[in-house]
Every structure is written in structure tokens, then in C-alpha cells.
Amino acid sequence: MSTADPREPQRESLPEALVQLLPELMRAATAHLAPVLPVLTELGELFAARGHELALVGGPVRDAFLGRVSPDLDFATSATPDESLAILRPWSEAHWDVGREFGTIAARRGEHTVEVTSYRADAYDGQTRKPVVAFGDNLEDDLVRRDFTVNAMALRLPSMEFVDPYAGLADLAARRLRTPGPPEVSFGDDPLRMMRACRFVAQLGLDVAPEVRAAMTAMAGSIEIVSAERVRDELTKLLLAPAPRAGLRLLVDTGLADQVLPELPALRLEVDEHHRHKDVYEHSLTVLDQAIALEGPADGPEASVPGPDLVLRLAALLHDIGKPATRRFEPGGGVSFHHHEMVGAKLTAKRLKALRYDKDTVKAVTRLVELHLRFHGYGDGAWTDSAVRRYVTDAGPLLQRLHRLTRSDSTTRNARKAARLSQTYDQLEERIEALMAAEELARVRPELNGNEIAEVLGIAPGPVLGRAYSFLLELRLDRGMVGREAAEAALREWWAEQPERG
């Protein structure tokens, strides 16, 4: 195994037009960094006083040119981790190792958290999941080992000198995603960078360069050496991007999804010549788009499902993954996907667990996939108040997400059919609101609590009491609020038929 980088850095010059605009662009970027300039200047002076270089690198520099707010302050330095710690300890209110072995020390002062990483050269041996680290000795060699040219720009501190040896600013202007050196080498260093490319396509609206796409396609299988947790985090960032569709397409088209989310490319069912079913893959991407459009503002109330909402977006993307396994061609030319919501729920839970999502997320997304078809039994007008209560109770705290998922699932091009579905769901929501106002459906409970049930029946806590409670809950769902006396009478009638009495 060798940590040597086989490439020769391929430094590039900015186009003349950008060179002329650079002073103006730098003024705009510096103005955007104004809130953190005191921190940048102070740290730059502290490191310089100890004889070390310090530069702001990566995302914060890129975002400054884009006019975006970056949540991170990432620095590269010629100092060793121990030397960085010695400088940051008296400056900060708190400090910690992000990964001393990887050269990164973090510190916090006031509202600012910074990460300082020694110049480095990361490499994989092609077999293990963790990078091998060799520290470097200059900024430009550090930048060539970064994932993409748009992230290989830096500002030396405290001078604010712009460093862009691989024309990242030109690529940013062209909305192009390239690697500083050969993409095969970059992705060989860290295969997760291929997923990061998909994420940047979604987050920043960039297009991958042809050679980057080709390398991703050829090397997709190498993502297997990356831990599930790192893959999950990149997938999450992609899904939470403003427009994840383009990034997901790249994930599928390059074959990466076959490795990390195979249920998604499996939705590309062959559409028969008579078009007896819609393109499930395109439908799922459209449902995701429509679900995102129905999210509330980030600072909105919980009932508005403030975006970006990971649970809703995962459910929208995965809601039909049970269709490939349940597709049946029926006599007479029809196509069915019976119980695909149940099969899909099982597949969803299995995939999200494999990606190491937390239990609450797995449970919530799986439940939405399971329930996403429930509404379609409502259209015939046969739903009783009992059915509406069960719909609300089964959805529980996911009700507002289920509303949005169900509405998003209508992708028909038939305007009349779409309007009818929307109107029908409007009616269901109105019934839910009316029942909620009358019966407090969000807190459905039997009209007798456990202690009262035990007193009426003269029994101790245990399995029988649990069954009695369940009986009264079913009564509440079926008949609504019947009053304490009627509930007690029904309980006694039920109890008279139970063998446990004797």
C-alpha cells in the first residue's frame, strides 16, 4: 500500500474575462464573509505569529462566491495538530479532537465553531473503509487532494489572498463539477466523493463534467468499501437539497444507486407497448418534487411540516418500491400491484436499517409507505366516521405528512381526474378537522381509563385489563364519544362474555 499520489497537479489559469472580474468578485465574496472576518483575521494573525500558514478553504470560500451562507468555517494549515491545538486552546472557549489522526482540531468561540486541518494527503488502499493519512507541507498540494475544483479554492489569512490553482472559480461560473486531477484518482482516494458529486448537483445546480460522469460509472462498485453511516449522511444531504431530483438521477444513471439504494433503479420497470402502467421511477421522482412543494417554511409551525423534511422526502421517494415485486399482468390487459404498500413498507424498513438510519426515522418512513394508499378507499364515499377516526389514529403524529404524501401521489396528466382527487381529499381533510374539533381525535382514548376499568370489573392490572382497554378503544373509534355510562354498560356486556370471569 502506498500513500503517494500518482498524479501531477494540473494547475489551470482563470479565463481572461474572469481575471478582469476577479476584483469585483472578491469584493462581493469578502462582503459576504463580513460577519466572520474578525475571526478569520484574528486566527490568521495568531497562526502567522507562530510561523504557520492558515487558509480558509473549501465550502466557505465557494459559498462566499455564490452569495450563500455557509454553516462551516474550515481551515487548512501548515501547523501540526498539536501546534494547532496549542494556538486554539487559549483562543477558544472549548476545543476538541475531530480526528487527531486525520489532522483536524475543532474549537468554539462565541457563536463560531472552526475546524483546522493540517495540510494532508488522504488515500485509500482500495480494500479498507478508512483513509490513510500523510501530512503535506503546502497549501496548493493540499488543495489538489480535495474532492472538486469548486472546493479547491482558498483564502490565505490574514491577507485574504485568493488561491485557485485548479480554476475552481471558472468551474463555479460555468456550473461545472470537475476534480482537480484525474477523477479516477480522486474517487480512488475516497469513493464517497462520487456520492458527494450527486449531492452537489442537487445542492448547487451543477452539472458533472463528462470525464467525472464516466469515472463515476466505471467506479460505482468501489462505494462498497465506504461505511453505511457515511453513505447515509451523503444520501441525507442530497435528499435535503433544494432540488434533489437531478442528484438522484445521477445516482441512478451512474450505477451508484445499484450499490447504495437498489430499490430506486429497480423502479425503472419496462413499460409495455400498450402503456398499461405509468413509469414508476419517473412517477416517484415527481412525487418527491410535489411533496417538497407542499412542505412548510423552515420556521413554520409543526403542522405545516417545515422543510426540508427528511421523513416526508424519504417516504415520497420510496413509497412505491414494493411495485416491482408485486406487478402482475391481469387477463384482459390490466396491470396490478396488489399489496405493494405492505411489501414496500417491509423493503423500506430493511433498506433504511441497512443504511443505519435511526429507529424513529425508520419507523416513521415505513409507516407512511404502509399508509400511502389508505386514502384511495375513501373516494367511493363509503367511509364512515369510524373509518375517518381510524385513518387519523393509524397516522398518529404523521398525519400532516400523510396528507402531503397522499396529495403528492397524484401525478395524472388528466386534469379532470387530478381535480377530482384533490377535491375528494379536501373533503376528507374537512371531515378530519370537524371530527377533531368535536372529539379531540389527536388524543383518542377510551372514555374510561385503566384505573376506572379495573374498578368497574374488579380486576387487577394485567393482560386482561389490557384487553378491556383495547375493547373500549375500539368502541371509541367505531362510535365516537358515547358518554361514560354507555361506555361502562358496553364494558360490562363485553366482560359478561369473557371466559376470564370464571
Side-chain angles (χ1 to χ4, degrees), residues 385-448:
D385 282 353
S386 172
V388 176
R389 292 187 195 102
R390 291 182 185 278
Y391 187 79
V392 174
T393 303
D394 288 346
L398 299 171
L399 181 63
Q400 293 301 328
R401 290 186 177 97
L402 182 58
H403 285 336
R404 285 155 178 78
L405 176 60
T406 302
R407 287 185 179 276
S408 301
D409 197 21
S410 174
T411 60
T412 178
R413 295 181 181 179
N414 184 317
R416 183 174 298 179
K417 181 179 179 182
R420 184 170 65 250
L421 284 170
S422 179
Q423 184 178 23
T424 303
Y425 205 84
D426 287 343
Q427 294 170 357
L428 174 58
E429 286 201 48
E430 289 169 3
R431 284 186 67 185
I432 289 173
E433 290 177 7
L435 281 171
M436 276 188 159
E439 303 181 10
E440 297 187 340
L441 280 190
R443 297 186 297 275
V444 171
R445 298 288 187 276
E447 292 185 72
L448 301 178

Short mmCIF file of all heavy atoms in Angstrom, two decimals, residues 385-448:
data_model
loop_
_atom_site.label_atom_id
_atom_site.label_comp_id
_atom_site.label_asym_id
_atom_site.label_seq_id
_atom_site.Cartn_x
_atom_site.Cartn_y
_atom_site.Cartn_z
N ASP A 385 -67.66 7.66 9.87
CA ASP A 385 -66.87 8.41 10.84
C ASP A 385 -65.85 7.49 11.50
O ASP A 385 -64.73 7.92 11.83
CB ASP A 385 -67.77 9.03 11.90
CG ASP A 385 -68.49 10.28 11.39
OD1 ASP A 385 -68.16 10.72 10.26
OD2 ASP A 385 -69.35 10.80 12.10
N SER A 386 -66.23 6.24 11.68
CA SER A 386 -65.31 5.27 12.27
C SER A 386 -64.07 5.11 11.40
O SER A 386 -62.94 5.06 11.91
CB SER A 386 -66.00 3.91 12.43
OG SER A 386 -65.07 2.92 12.84
N ALA A 387 -64.25 5.03 10.08
CA ALA A 387 -63.10 4.87 9.17
C ALA A 387 -62.20 6.10 9.22
O ALA A 387 -60.98 5.99 9.17
CB ALA A 387 -63.60 4.63 7.75
N VAL A 388 -62.80 7.28 9.32
CA VAL A 388 -62.01 8.51 9.41
C VAL A 388 -61.23 8.53 10.71
O VAL A 388 -60.04 8.90 10.74
CB VAL A 388 -62.93 9.75 9.31
CG1 VAL A 388 -62.11 11.03 9.51
CG2 VAL A 388 -63.62 9.78 7.95
N ARG A 389 -61.86 8.12 11.81
CA ARG A 389 -61.15 8.07 13.08
C ARG A 389 -59.96 7.13 12.99
O ARG A 389 -58.87 7.42 13.50
CB ARG A 389 -62.08 7.60 14.19
CG ARG A 389 -63.19 8.57 14.55
CD ARG A 389 -63.95 8.09 15.77
NE ARG A 389 -65.21 8.82 15.90
CZ ARG A 389 -66.40 8.35 15.55
NH1 ARG A 389 -66.50 7.12 15.06
NH2 ARG A 389 -67.47 9.09 15.69
N ARG A 390 -60.13 5.99 12.37
CA ARG A 390 -59.04 5.01 12.25
C ARG A 390 -57.91 5.57 11.38
O ARG A 390 -56.73 5.31 11.64
CB ARG A 390 -59.56 3.70 11.68
CG ARG A 390 -60.46 2.97 12.65
CD ARG A 390 -60.95 1.63 12.09
NE ARG A 390 -61.89 1.05 13.01
CZ ARG A 390 -61.56 0.35 14.10
NH1 ARG A 390 -60.27 0.16 14.37
NH2 ARG A 390 -62.47 -0.15 14.89
N TYR A 391 -58.27 6.29 10.33
CA TYR A 391 -57.26 6.90 9.46
C TYR A 391 -56.38 7.85 10.28
O TYR A 391 -55.14 7.81 10.20
CB TYR A 391 -57.98 7.67 8.34
CG TYR A 391 -57.08 8.23 7.26
CD1 TYR A 391 -56.58 7.41 6.26
CD2 TYR A 391 -56.78 9.59 7.22
CE1 TYR A 391 -55.79 7.92 5.24
CE2 TYR A 391 -55.97 10.11 6.21
CZ TYR A 391 -55.49 9.28 5.22
OH TYR A 391 -54.71 9.79 4.22
N VAL A 392 -57.02 8.67 11.10
CA VAL A 392 -56.29 9.62 11.92
C VAL A 392 -55.47 8.91 12.99
O VAL A 392 -54.29 9.24 13.22
CB VAL A 392 -57.26 10.62 12.57
CG1 VAL A 392 -56.53 11.53 13.56
CG2 VAL A 392 -57.96 11.46 11.51
N THR A 393 -56.06 7.93 13.62
CA THR A 393 -55.37 7.21 14.70
C THR A 393 -54.19 6.42 14.16
O THR A 393 -53.12 6.40 14.78
CB THR A 393 -56.35 6.27 15.41
OG1 THR A 393 -57.46 7.02 15.92
CG2 THR A 393 -55.67 5.56 16.58
N ASP A 394 -54.36 5.77 13.03
CA ASP A 394 -53.26 5.00 12.45
C ASP A 394 -52.11 5.90 12.02
O ASP A 394 -50.94 5.52 12.12
CB ASP A 394 -53.75 4.18 11.25
CG ASP A 394 -54.64 3.00 11.67
OD1 ASP A 394 -54.66 2.68 12.87
OD2 ASP A 394 -55.30 2.42 10.79
N ALA A 395 -52.43 7.08 11.52
CA ALA A 395 -51.38 8.02 11.11
C ALA A 395 -50.71 8.64 12.33
O ALA A 395 -49.49 8.89 12.32
CB ALA A 395 -51.95 9.11 10.22
N GLY A 396 -51.46 8.87 13.39
CA GLY A 396 -50.89 9.45 14.61
C GLY A 396 -50.19 10.76 14.32
O GLY A 396 -50.71 11.62 13.59
N PRO A 397 -48.97 10.94 14.84
CA PRO A 397 -48.25 12.21 14.63
C PRO A 397 -47.79 12.42 13.19
O PRO A 397 -47.28 13.49 12.86
CB PRO A 397 -47.05 12.08 15.57
CG PRO A 397 -46.85 10.60 15.75
CD PRO A 397 -48.22 10.01 15.70
N LEU A 398 -47.96 11.41 12.34
CA LEU A 398 -47.56 11.52 10.93
C LEU A 398 -48.68 12.03 10.04
O LEU A 398 -48.52 12.08 8.82
CB LEU A 398 -47.09 10.15 10.41
CG LEU A 398 -45.88 9.53 11.11
CD1 LEU A 398 -45.68 8.10 10.62
CD2 LEU A 398 -44.63 10.36 10.85
N LEU A 399 -49.80 12.42 10.62
CA LEU A 399 -50.97 12.77 9.81
C LEU A 399 -50.69 13.87 8.80
O LEU A 399 -51.06 13.76 7.63
CB LEU A 399 -52.13 13.18 10.72
CG LEU A 399 -53.44 13.55 9.98
CD1 LEU A 399 -53.98 12.35 9.23
CD2 LEU A 399 -54.47 14.08 10.98
N GLN A 400 -50.03 14.94 9.23
CA GLN A 400 -49.78 16.04 8.30
C GLN A 400 -48.84 15.61 7.17
O GLN A 400 -48.99 16.05 6.03
CB GLN A 400 -49.20 17.24 9.06
CG GLN A 400 -50.17 17.88 10.03
CD GLN A 400 -51.44 18.37 9.35
OE1 GLN A 400 -51.43 18.80 8.19
NE2 GLN A 400 -52.55 18.30 10.07
N ARG A 401 -47.88 14.75 7.48
CA ARG A 401 -47.01 14.23 6.42
C ARG A 401 -47.81 13.32 5.49
O ARG A 401 -47.61 13.32 4.28
CB ARG A 401 -45.83 13.48 7.02
CG ARG A 401 -44.81 14.36 7.73
CD ARG A 401 -43.62 13.52 8.17
NE ARG A 401 -42.56 14.29 8.80
CZ ARG A 401 -42.40 14.42 10.09
NH1 ARG A 401 -43.26 13.84 10.94
NH2 ARG A 401 -41.38 15.12 10.58
N LEU A 402 -48.70 12.52 6.06
CA LEU A 402 -49.52 11.63 5.23
C LEU A 402 -50.42 12.43 4.30
O LEU A 402 -50.61 12.06 3.13
CB LEU A 402 -50.36 10.71 6.12
CG LEU A 402 -51.23 9.68 5.39
CD1 LEU A 402 -50.38 8.77 4.50
CD2 LEU A 402 -52.05 8.86 6.38
N HIS A 403 -50.97 13.53 4.80
CA HIS A 403 -51.75 14.42 3.93
C HIS A 403 -50.92 14.82 2.71
O HIS A 403 -51.39 14.73 1.56
CB HIS A 403 -52.16 15.70 4.68
CG HIS A 403 -53.27 15.52 5.67
ND1 HIS A 403 -54.19 14.51 5.59
CD2 HIS A 403 -53.60 16.25 6.76
CE1 HIS A 403 -55.05 14.62 6.59
NE2 HIS A 403 -54.71 15.67 7.32
N ARG A 404 -49.71 15.25 2.94
CA ARG A 404 -48.86 15.75 1.85
C ARG A 404 -48.40 14.63 0.93
O ARG A 404 -48.34 14.80 -0.29
CB ARG A 404 -47.68 16.52 2.45
CG ARG A 404 -48.10 17.89 2.96
CD ARG A 404 -47.20 18.43 4.05
NE ARG A 404 -47.65 19.77 4.46
CZ ARG A 404 -48.68 19.98 5.27
NH1 ARG A 404 -49.37 18.96 5.76
NH2 ARG A 404 -49.04 21.22 5.58
N LEU A 405 -48.07 13.48 1.50
CA LEU A 405 -47.66 12.34 0.68
C LEU A 405 -48.81 11.89 -0.22
O LEU A 405 -48.61 11.63 -1.41
CB LEU A 405 -47.20 11.19 1.57
CG LEU A 405 -46.82 9.89 0.86
CD1 LEU A 405 -45.67 10.11 -0.12
CD2 LEU A 405 -46.47 8.80 1.87
N THR A 406 -50.00 11.82 0.33
CA THR A 406 -51.15 11.35 -0.44
C THR A 406 -51.47 12.31 -1.58
O THR A 406 -51.73 11.90 -2.71
CB THR A 406 -52.37 11.20 0.48
OG1 THR A 406 -52.05 10.29 1.53
CG2 THR A 406 -53.55 10.65 -0.29
N ARG A 407 -51.45 13.60 -1.28
CA ARG A 407 -51.71 14.57 -2.35
C ARG A 407 -50.61 14.52 -3.42
O ARG A 407 -50.89 14.65 -4.61
CB ARG A 407 -51.78 15.98 -1.75
CG ARG A 407 -53.05 16.23 -0.94
CD ARG A 407 -53.13 17.68 -0.47
NE ARG A 407 -54.33 17.96 0.27
CZ ARG A 407 -55.52 18.28 -0.24
NH1 ARG A 407 -55.66 18.31 -1.56
NH2 ARG A 407 -56.55 18.54 0.53
N SER A 408 -49.37 14.33 -2.99
CA SER A 408 -48.26 14.29 -3.94
C SER A 408 -48.31 13.07 -4.84
O SER A 408 -47.75 13.08 -5.94
CB SER A 408 -46.92 14.29 -3.18
OG SER A 408 -46.81 15.42 -2.37
N ASP A 409 -48.97 12.03 -4.39
CA ASP A 409 -49.01 10.77 -5.13
C ASP A 409 -49.89 10.84 -6.37
O ASP A 409 -49.95 9.90 -7.15
CB ASP A 409 -49.49 9.64 -4.20
CG ASP A 409 -49.17 8.26 -4.74
OD1 ASP A 409 -48.25 8.15 -5.59
OD2 ASP A 409 -49.83 7.29 -4.32
N SER A 410 -50.57 11.95 -6.57
CA SER A 410 -51.38 12.14 -7.77
C SER A 410 -50.52 12.82 -8.84
O SER A 410 -50.21 14.00 -8.74
CB SER A 410 -52.61 13.01 -7.46
OG SER A 410 -53.31 13.32 -8.66
N THR A 411 -50.13 12.05 -9.85
CA THR A 411 -49.29 12.59 -10.93
C THR A 411 -49.97 12.44 -12.28
O THR A 411 -49.32 12.52 -13.32
CB THR A 411 -47.92 11.91 -10.96
OG1 THR A 411 -48.10 10.50 -11.17
CG2 THR A 411 -47.18 12.12 -9.65
N THR A 412 -51.28 12.21 -12.26
CA THR A 412 -52.00 12.03 -13.51
C THR A 412 -51.96 13.30 -14.36
O THR A 412 -51.97 14.41 -13.84
CB THR A 412 -53.47 11.64 -13.24
OG1 THR A 412 -54.16 11.51 -14.49
CG2 THR A 412 -54.18 12.68 -12.39
N ARG A 413 -51.89 13.11 -15.68
CA ARG A 413 -51.94 14.25 -16.60
C ARG A 413 -53.38 14.62 -16.95
O ARG A 413 -53.61 15.62 -17.66
CB ARG A 413 -51.16 13.92 -17.87
CG ARG A 413 -49.67 13.72 -17.63
CD ARG A 413 -48.95 13.41 -18.91
NE ARG A 413 -47.51 13.20 -18.69
CZ ARG A 413 -46.64 12.90 -19.65
NH1 ARG A 413 -47.07 12.79 -20.90
NH2 ARG A 413 -45.37 12.72 -19.36
N ASN A 414 -54.31 13.82 -16.49
CA ASN A 414 -55.73 14.09 -16.74
C ASN A 414 -56.19 15.15 -15.74
O ASN A 414 -56.35 14.88 -14.55
CB ASN A 414 -56.53 12.80 -16.56
CG ASN A 414 -58.01 12.97 -16.90
OD1 ASN A 414 -58.62 13.96 -16.54
ND2 ASN A 414 -58.57 11.98 -17.57
N ALA A 415 -56.37 16.36 -16.21
CA ALA A 415 -56.68 17.49 -15.33
C ALA A 415 -57.99 17.25 -14.57
O ALA A 415 -58.08 17.60 -13.38
CB ALA A 415 -56.78 18.77 -16.15
N ARG A 416 -58.96 16.65 -15.23
CA ARG A 416 -60.24 16.43 -14.56
C ARG A 416 -60.09 15.41 -13.42
O ARG A 416 -60.61 15.61 -12.32
CB ARG A 416 -61.27 15.91 -15.57
CG ARG A 416 -62.67 15.71 -14.99
CD ARG A 416 -63.65 15.34 -16.08
NE ARG A 416 -63.76 16.42 -17.06
CZ ARG A 416 -64.54 16.35 -18.14
NH1 ARG A 416 -65.24 15.25 -18.39
NH2 ARG A 416 -64.59 17.37 -18.98
N LYS A 417 -59.32 14.35 -13.69
CA LYS A 417 -59.09 13.33 -12.65
C LYS A 417 -58.30 13.92 -11.50
O LYS A 417 -58.60 13.66 -10.32
CB LYS A 417 -58.35 12.14 -13.25
CG LYS A 417 -58.10 11.02 -12.25
CD LYS A 417 -57.38 9.85 -12.92
CE LYS A 417 -57.10 8.73 -11.92
NZ LYS A 417 -56.37 7.61 -12.55
N ALA A 418 -57.28 14.73 -11.81
CA ALA A 418 -56.47 15.35 -10.76
C ALA A 418 -57.31 16.26 -9.89
O ALA A 418 -57.18 16.27 -8.65
CB ALA A 418 -55.32 16.14 -11.38
N ALA A 419 -58.19 17.04 -10.51
CA ALA A 419 -59.06 17.95 -9.75
C ALA A 419 -60.02 17.16 -8.87
O ALA A 419 -60.29 17.55 -7.73
CB ALA A 419 -59.83 18.84 -10.71
N ARG A 420 -60.52 16.04 -9.38
CA ARG A 420 -61.45 15.23 -8.60
C ARG A 420 -60.76 14.63 -7.37
O ARG A 420 -61.30 14.64 -6.27
CB ARG A 420 -62.03 14.13 -9.48
CG ARG A 420 -63.10 13.29 -8.76
CD ARG A 420 -63.82 12.36 -9.71
NE ARG A 420 -62.93 11.35 -10.26
CZ ARG A 420 -62.52 11.30 -11.53
NH1 ARG A 420 -62.92 12.25 -12.37
NH2 ARG A 420 -61.73 10.35 -11.95
N LEU A 421 -59.52 14.13 -7.56
CA LEU A 421 -58.78 13.57 -6.44
C LEU A 421 -58.50 14.64 -5.39
O LEU A 421 -58.62 14.39 -4.19
CB LEU A 421 -57.47 12.96 -6.94
CG LEU A 421 -57.57 11.61 -7.66
CD1 LEU A 421 -56.23 11.26 -8.30
CD2 LEU A 421 -57.99 10.52 -6.68
N SER A 422 -58.09 15.82 -5.84
CA SER A 422 -57.79 16.90 -4.91
C SER A 422 -59.03 17.32 -4.13
O SER A 422 -58.98 17.53 -2.92
CB SER A 422 -57.23 18.10 -5.68
OG SER A 422 -56.95 19.17 -4.81
N GLN A 423 -60.15 17.40 -4.84
CA GLN A 423 -61.40 17.79 -4.18
C GLN A 423 -61.82 16.73 -3.15
O GLN A 423 -62.27 17.07 -2.05
CB GLN A 423 -62.49 17.98 -5.23
CG GLN A 423 -63.82 18.47 -4.64
CD GLN A 423 -64.87 18.69 -5.71
OE1 GLN A 423 -64.80 18.11 -6.80
NE2 GLN A 423 -65.84 19.53 -5.43
N THR A 424 -61.65 15.46 -3.51
CA THR A 424 -62.01 14.38 -2.59
C THR A 424 -61.16 14.44 -1.33
O THR A 424 -61.65 14.24 -0.21
CB THR A 424 -61.86 13.01 -3.28
OG1 THR A 424 -62.67 12.98 -4.45
CG2 THR A 424 -62.30 11.89 -2.35
N TYR A 425 -59.86 14.72 -1.52
CA TYR A 425 -59.01 14.79 -0.33
C TYR A 425 -59.32 16.03 0.49
O TYR A 425 -59.23 16.00 1.72
CB TYR A 425 -57.52 14.75 -0.71
CG TYR A 425 -56.68 14.22 0.43
CD1 TYR A 425 -56.53 12.85 0.60
CD2 TYR A 425 -56.12 15.07 1.37
CE1 TYR A 425 -55.81 12.34 1.67
CE2 TYR A 425 -55.40 14.57 2.44
CZ TYR A 425 -55.25 13.21 2.59
OH TYR A 425 -54.55 12.71 3.67
N ASP A 426 -59.71 17.11 -0.18
CA ASP A 426 -60.17 18.29 0.56
C ASP A 426 -61.32 17.91 1.48
O ASP A 426 -61.37 18.33 2.65
CB ASP A 426 -60.64 19.38 -0.41
CG ASP A 426 -59.49 20.06 -1.13
OD1 ASP A 426 -58.34 19.92 -0.67
OD2 ASP A 426 -59.75 20.71 -2.16
N GLN A 427 -62.24 17.12 0.95
CA GLN A 427 -63.41 16.71 1.73
C GLN A 427 -62.99 15.85 2.93
O GLN A 427 -63.53 16.00 4.03
CB GLN A 427 -64.39 15.94 0.85
CG GLN A 427 -65.02 16.78 -0.25
CD GLN A 427 -65.79 15.96 -1.26
OE1 GLN A 427 -65.81 14.72 -1.19
NE2 GLN A 427 -66.42 16.62 -2.22
N LEU A 428 -62.03 14.95 2.71
CA LEU A 428 -61.55 14.11 3.81
C LEU A 428 -60.91 14.98 4.89
O LEU A 428 -61.16 14.78 6.08
CB LEU A 428 -60.57 13.07 3.29
CG LEU A 428 -59.88 12.21 4.38
CD1 LEU A 428 -60.93 11.47 5.21
CD2 LEU A 428 -58.90 11.23 3.75
N GLU A 429 -60.09 15.92 4.50
CA GLU A 429 -59.43 16.78 5.49
C GLU A 429 -60.46 17.59 6.27
O GLU A 429 -60.32 17.81 7.48
CB GLU A 429 -58.42 17.70 4.81
CG GLU A 429 -57.15 17.00 4.37
CD GLU A 429 -56.00 17.98 4.19
OE1 GLU A 429 -55.76 18.80 5.08
OE2 GLU A 429 -55.32 17.90 3.16
N GLU A 430 -61.51 18.03 5.57
CA GLU A 430 -62.56 18.78 6.26
C GLU A 430 -63.27 17.90 7.29
O GLU A 430 -63.57 18.34 8.40
CB GLU A 430 -63.56 19.31 5.24
CG GLU A 430 -63.01 20.44 4.37
CD GLU A 430 -63.92 20.79 3.21
OE1 GLU A 430 -65.01 20.18 3.11
OE2 GLU A 430 -63.54 21.64 2.39
N ARG A 431 -63.53 16.64 6.93
CA ARG A 431 -64.16 15.73 7.89
C ARG A 431 -63.23 15.47 9.08
O ARG A 431 -63.68 15.40 10.22
CB ARG A 431 -64.50 14.39 7.21
CG ARG A 431 -65.72 14.46 6.31
CD ARG A 431 -66.10 13.09 5.78
NE ARG A 431 -66.56 12.20 6.84
CZ ARG A 431 -66.85 10.91 6.64
NH1 ARG A 431 -66.71 10.38 5.43
NH2 ARG A 431 -67.28 10.16 7.63
N ILE A 432 -61.95 15.31 8.80
CA ILE A 432 -60.99 15.09 9.88
C ILE A 432 -60.99 16.28 10.84
O ILE A 432 -61.02 16.11 12.06
CB ILE A 432 -59.59 14.84 9.31
CG1 ILE A 432 -59.52 13.46 8.63
CG2 ILE A 432 -58.53 14.94 10.41
CD1 ILE A 432 -58.23 13.21 7.89
N GLU A 433 -60.95 17.49 10.27
CA GLU A 433 -60.92 18.68 11.12
C GLU A 433 -62.19 18.79 11.95
O GLU A 433 -62.13 19.16 13.14
CB GLU A 433 -60.75 19.92 10.24
CG GLU A 433 -59.36 20.03 9.62
CD GLU A 433 -59.23 21.22 8.70
OE1 GLU A 433 -60.19 22.03 8.65
OE2 GLU A 433 -58.19 21.36 8.03
N ALA A 434 -63.33 18.46 11.35
CA ALA A 434 -64.59 18.54 12.08
C ALA A 434 -64.63 17.52 13.22
O ALA A 434 -65.03 17.84 14.36
CB ALA A 434 -65.77 18.30 11.13
N LEU A 435 -64.19 16.29 12.93
CA LEU A 435 -64.18 15.27 13.98
C LEU A 435 -63.15 15.60 15.05
O LEU A 435 -63.38 15.35 16.24
CB LEU A 435 -63.89 13.90 13.37
CG LEU A 435 -65.07 13.21 12.67
CD1 LEU A 435 -64.60 11.97 11.93
CD2 LEU A 435 -66.14 12.85 13.69
N MET A 436 -62.03 16.14 14.64
CA MET A 436 -61.01 16.52 15.62
C MET A 436 -61.55 17.58 16.57
O MET A 436 -61.32 17.52 17.79
CB MET A 436 -59.77 17.05 14.91
CG MET A 436 -58.82 15.95 14.47
SD MET A 436 -57.27 16.66 13.84
CE MET A 436 -56.18 15.25 14.02
N ALA A 437 -62.26 18.56 15.99
CA ALA A 437 -62.80 19.63 16.82
C ALA A 437 -63.85 19.09 17.79
O ALA A 437 -63.92 19.51 18.95
CB ALA A 437 -63.41 20.72 15.93
N ALA A 438 -64.64 18.13 17.32
CA ALA A 438 -65.72 17.60 18.15
C ALA A 438 -65.23 16.56 19.14
O ALA A 438 -65.77 16.44 20.25
CB ALA A 438 -66.81 16.99 17.26
N GLU A 439 -64.22 15.78 18.76
CA GLU A 439 -63.87 14.61 19.56
C GLU A 439 -62.41 14.57 20.01
O GLU A 439 -61.97 13.60 20.61
CB GLU A 439 -64.16 13.34 18.75
CG GLU A 439 -65.60 13.23 18.30
CD GLU A 439 -65.84 11.95 17.52
OE1 GLU A 439 -64.95 11.08 17.51
OE2 GLU A 439 -66.92 11.81 16.93
N GLU A 440 -61.63 15.61 19.69
CA GLU A 440 -60.21 15.62 20.04
C GLU A 440 -59.51 14.35 19.54
O GLU A 440 -58.89 13.61 20.30
CB GLU A 440 -60.02 15.78 21.55
CG GLU A 440 -60.54 17.09 22.08
CD GLU A 440 -60.19 17.29 23.55
OE1 GLU A 440 -59.89 16.28 24.22
OE2 GLU A 440 -60.22 18.43 24.03
N LEU A 441 -59.64 14.10 18.24
CA LEU A 441 -59.11 12.86 17.66
C LEU A 441 -57.61 12.71 17.86
O LEU A 441 -57.10 11.59 17.89
CB LEU A 441 -59.40 12.82 16.15
CG LEU A 441 -60.81 12.39 15.73
CD1 LEU A 441 -60.83 12.15 14.24
CD2 LEU A 441 -61.24 11.13 16.45
N ALA A 442 -56.91 13.81 17.98
CA ALA A 442 -55.46 13.70 18.14
C ALA A 442 -55.09 13.03 19.46
O ALA A 442 -53.98 12.56 19.63
CB ALA A 442 -54.81 15.08 18.07
N ARG A 443 -56.06 12.98 20.39
CA ARG A 443 -55.80 12.34 21.68
C ARG A 443 -56.88 11.30 21.96
O ARG A 443 -57.51 11.29 23.03
CB ARG A 443 -55.77 13.39 22.79
CG ARG A 443 -54.66 14.41 22.65
CD ARG A 443 -54.58 15.34 23.86
NE ARG A 443 -55.78 16.13 24.02
CZ ARG A 443 -56.01 17.28 23.39
NH1 ARG A 443 -55.13 17.75 22.54
NH2 ARG A 443 -57.13 17.95 23.59
N VAL A 444 -57.12 10.43 21.00
CA VAL A 444 -58.16 9.42 21.15
C VAL A 444 -57.81 8.48 22.30
O VAL A 444 -56.74 7.88 22.32
CB VAL A 444 -58.35 8.60 19.85
CG1 VAL A 444 -59.26 7.40 20.11
CG2 VAL A 444 -58.95 9.48 18.78
N ARG A 445 -58.69 8.40 23.28
CA ARG A 445 -58.55 7.49 24.41
C ARG A 445 -59.91 6.89 24.72
O ARG A 445 -60.95 7.50 24.43
CB ARG A 445 -58.05 8.24 25.66
CG ARG A 445 -56.69 8.89 25.52
CD ARG A 445 -55.57 7.84 25.52
NE ARG A 445 -54.27 8.47 25.56
CZ ARG A 445 -53.61 8.92 24.50
NH1 ARG A 445 -54.16 8.79 23.30
NH2 ARG A 445 -52.43 9.48 24.61
N PRO A 446 -59.97 5.72 25.35
CA PRO A 446 -61.25 5.21 25.84
C PRO A 446 -61.84 6.18 26.85
O PRO A 446 -61.13 6.97 27.48
CB PRO A 446 -60.87 3.88 26.50
CG PRO A 446 -59.57 3.50 25.89
CD PRO A 446 -58.86 4.79 25.61
N GLU A 447 -63.14 6.12 27.03
CA GLU A 447 -63.77 7.06 27.96
C GLU A 447 -63.61 6.64 29.41
O GLU A 447 -64.00 7.38 30.32
CB GLU A 447 -65.25 7.22 27.59
CG GLU A 447 -65.42 7.93 26.25
CD GLU A 447 -66.88 8.20 25.91
OE1 GLU A 447 -67.49 9.08 26.55
OE2 GLU A 447 -67.39 7.52 25.00
N LEU A 448 -63.03 5.48 29.63
CA LEU A 448 -62.63 5.05 30.96
C LEU A 448 -61.14 4.78 30.94
O LEU A 448 -60.63 4.14 30.02
CB LEU A 448 -63.37 3.77 31.38
CG LEU A 448 -64.91 3.82 31.42
CD1 LEU A 448 -65.45 2.44 31.80
CD2 LEU A 448 -65.41 4.87 32.40
#
